[in-house]
Amino acid sequence: MNREYIETVQAVAGAAGSVWLAADAAEHPTLDGDHTADVLVVGAGITGALVARKLAGTGRRVILLDRRRIASGTTGHSTAKVTALHGNSWRDLLRNHADGEVRSWALANLAAVDELATIAAALGFEDLRRVPASLVAGDDATSAAFDEQLAALVSAGLPATASMAPLPFDRPAATVASQVLIDPGAFVVAVIAALGSNATVFEGSPVRSLDYHDHGWRATCDHGSVRAPVAIMADHFPVHDTGAFFTRLFPYAHYAVEFVPRETIPDGMWMQFGGEEITLRPTSDSEGTWIAGGKRVRVASGDDEREVYAGLVASVVAVVGECEVTRHWSAHDHETPDGLPFIGEAPLGRNLYMAAGYAGWGMTKSVVASAIITDAVEGRAHPLAETVSPSRAPGPGSAGSLIEENAIVGREFIGGHLTSRNDKVHEDSVAGRTCTHLGCGTKWNTAEGTVDCSCHGSRFGRHGDVIYGPAAKDIETK
């Protein structure tokens, strides 16, 4: 099975697909027959790999299932900035949560940077580099008020220092030193390769259902099943939704391009606040290609996704000058009403755990999630467990996003059933057919050759195979 799901389409610059998935990787078998384990992990991205590593290290027998290839989902399509400097999100978190909670969360993400680097070193993984990460003002308005951004970072507990960013930025910046750049696909491959005899990995094994049965969990796949007393949903969207998370996980696509700049860009990670609002990181070293991100749109909300890529390229040119685009791809991720992810035991789910809602910053949040879930399985109380609990009550700052996002769902559901979607149908695809999650309409993604649900963000291949949930079942072809 191909590691990449994005298809080549016309009128998008560069080759289709993530640079992290271009290389070959060892294949694992497809699940066949009935199996048992001590722990079942659904999803073999960075969260699933790290959780499996921790729990297999305790002597538990772990089975890890992935719908496609390991790390080929959101992890393999990330821009992989391993940093606690999550753009300008810390200011919003301070508005919606107690200062102590935010500081604890920030310190955990700072520690996650070093923990990931330590894991990489233990594995002999050499494709890792320490660089500074900087939030930089993007226009005159944000430059004038940039002290507020710096104050928010310091209040959150980040060791940010003020500076003037060099050209081509030439604006105020807040910098956190010694953050990490990695190839996320290669990192996960290395973690899984070192799991040892206590762990078994199956690829090409989509979980169609996850049910509680005989005091344990049973995952049913196309050609077999797995039973285990403990199940961990590290699958981007929980395949067994015990808490109506389709109303609280908002699907967004984060677009990225790799490019060759004509002019030198200062080394490090750069995240604009204001202006073009792009992010920049070198693919490997600053003398080679660079990766730009920062454009995010709600899944299936546009008429032509190729325009998003074109807009991203235009923003790159506006910031760093002319360039040659070599690749393009997008990462699929979810946002939450209060800005914190859902990590821990799922509501009403005994020994059922989940991690979702990373909002584009999964490289550190996945490390924290692996610690929280491992502690829960081991019967230990993690200090952040209540803060990010999937069962937490919505805070006062959550109401606006809950109303707005679910109003979108209502409009899309009604519109998809009352109007013709012929303008969004592509020949030789299932576009226009209803999503297998809750029956919403689907549309053709003009930039990536996928069929996307505009209600809750499920994505399918052109012939109906599930790429991202919440849908668990394929769209049947005629």
Side-chain angles (χ1 to χ4, degrees):
M1 179 183 289
N2 197 323
R3 298 177 74 197
E4 182 57 78
Y5 67 84
I6 296 174
E7 296 185 4
T8 299
V9 299
Q10 295 181 346
V12 183
S18 168
V19 63
W20 315 126
L21 301 179
D24 291 334
E27 295 190 34
H28 298 270
T30 298
L31 182 73
D32 187 18
D34 298 324
H35 300 256
T36 61
D38 298 320
V39 179
L40 162 67
V41 180
V42 182
I46 189 168
T47 302
L50 292 176
V51 169
R53 181 177 186 272
K54 288 179 181 291
L55 290 174
T58 68
R60 288 177 169 84
R61 294 177 299 112
V62 178
I63 288 182
L64 187 60
L65 302 176
D66 199 87
R67 175 183 285 128
R68 296 177 60 83
R69 301 289 306 281
I70 60 174
S72 67
T74 300
T75 296
H77 292 89
S78 168
T79 54
K81 298 184 289 292
V82 187
T83 176
L85 185 61
H86 300 161
N88 66 325
S89 64
W90 293 106
R91 187 177 65 171
D92 292 336
L93 286 175
L94 286 165
R95 289 171 177 169
N96 295 325
H97 299 275
D99 289 359
E101 287 184 336
V102 175
R103 287 181 66 87
S104 295
W105 178 242
L107 291 174
N109 279 270
L110 274 171
V113 176
D114 292 332
E115 182 178 343
L116 188 144
T118 299
I119 293 171
L123 296 173
F125 183 78
E126 298 179 352
D127 188 11
L128 180 148
R129 199 159 66 87
R130 291 276 192 172
V131 298
S134 298
L135 180 67
V136 58
D139 54 23
D140 291 343
T142 50
S143 294
F146 200 75
D147 286 348
E148 297 177 12
Q149 289 295 329
L150 179 61
L153 295 175
V154 173
S155 294
L158 299 183
T161 57
S163 64
M164 180 62 69
L167 291 172
F169 308 104
D170 195 28
R171 290 190 182 276
T175 300
V176 177
S178 196
Q179 305 297 279
V180 166
L181 295 175
I182 62 167
D183 174 337
F187 176 75
V188 170
V189 168
V191 171
I192 287 178
L195 285 177
S197 59
N198 282 340
T200 306
V201 180
F202 294 101
E203 294 182 315
S205 304
V207 175
R208 304 302 186 183
S209 64
L210 181 63
D211 304 298
Y212 192 74
H213 184 76
D214 289 341
H215 308 290
W217 293 95
R218 179 181 60 190
T220 302
C221 301
D222 292 337
H223 304 291
S225 66
V226 178
R227 293 176 183 268
V230 175
I232 298 164
M233 300 180 290
D235 53 343
H236 180 261
F237 190 103
V239 66
H240 185 64
D241 187 353
T242 61
F245 286 102
F246 63 88
T247 67
R248 294 187 284 157
L249 286 169
F250 314 138
Y252 281 82
H254 298 248
Y255 287 75
V257 295
E258 184 189 43
F259 66 96
V260 181
R262 290 187 182 178
E263 303 294 334
T264 299
I265 302 174
D267 198 13
M269 308 180 209
W270 299 98
M271 310 168 205
Q272 270 194 331
F273 174 58
E276 300 295 336
E277 296 204 332
I278 62 171
T279 68
L280 296 168
R281 62 150 288 182
T283 305
S284 55
D285 62 73
S286 60
E287 300 302 315
T289 58
W290 281 69
I291 296 170
K295 301 297 183 185
R296 104 199 203 295
V297 297
R298 201 180 196 282
V299 172
S301 63
D303 291 330
D304 191 339
E305 286 81 3
R306 292 173 296 186
E307 295 176 356
V308 183
Y309 282 119
L312 177 56
V313 173
S315 291
V316 172
V317 172
V319 174
V320 304
E322 292 298 323
C323 63
E324 176 191 354
V325 176
T326 53
R327 283 187 173 273
H328 66 267
W329 68 90
S330 72
H332 190 98
D333 210 347
H334 289 91
E335 300 178 9
T336 65
D338 64 2
L340 290 173
F342 297 121
I343 301 170
E345 191 166 42
L348 307 176
R350 183 179 180 183
N351 292 326
L352 176 67
Y353 303 91
M354 62 176 287
Y358 291 165
W361 298 104
M363 291 295 107
T364 58
K365 294 178 183 180
S366 60
V367 179
V368 182
S370 69
I372 293 172
I373 291 173
T374 298
D375 278 357
V377 173
E378 292 274 270
R380 297 188 296 264
H382 192 282
L384 283 167
E386 292 300 319
T387 300
V388 296
S389 169
S391 298
R392 67 183 184 269
S398 304
S401 58
L402 279 168
I403 293 171
E404 180 181 355
E405 291 285 344
N406 285 289
I408 293 173
V409 172
R411 290 196 301 269
E412 291 294 333
F413 183 83
I414 294 171
H417 284 78
L418 296 183
T419 64
S420 170
R421 301 181 73 95
N422 288 336
D423 60 322
K424 304 215 174 51
V425 173
H426 187 276
E427 62 182 7
D428 189 33
S429 81
V430 297
R433 304 279 296 278
T434 56
C435 176
T436 58
H437 174 227
L438 291 178
C440 292
T442 61
K443 70 176 284 288
W444 176 251
N445 183 319
T446 56
E448 297 171 312
T450 60
V451 176
D452 301 347
C453 172
S454 55
C455 286
H456 304 110
S458 297
R459 300 183 75 181
F460 304 85
R462 70 163 62 227
H463 300 305
D465 53 304
V466 175
I467 296 173
Y468 290 110
K473 296 182 179 179
D474 298 342
I475 297 176
E476 294 184 5
T477 56
K478 294 181 180 180

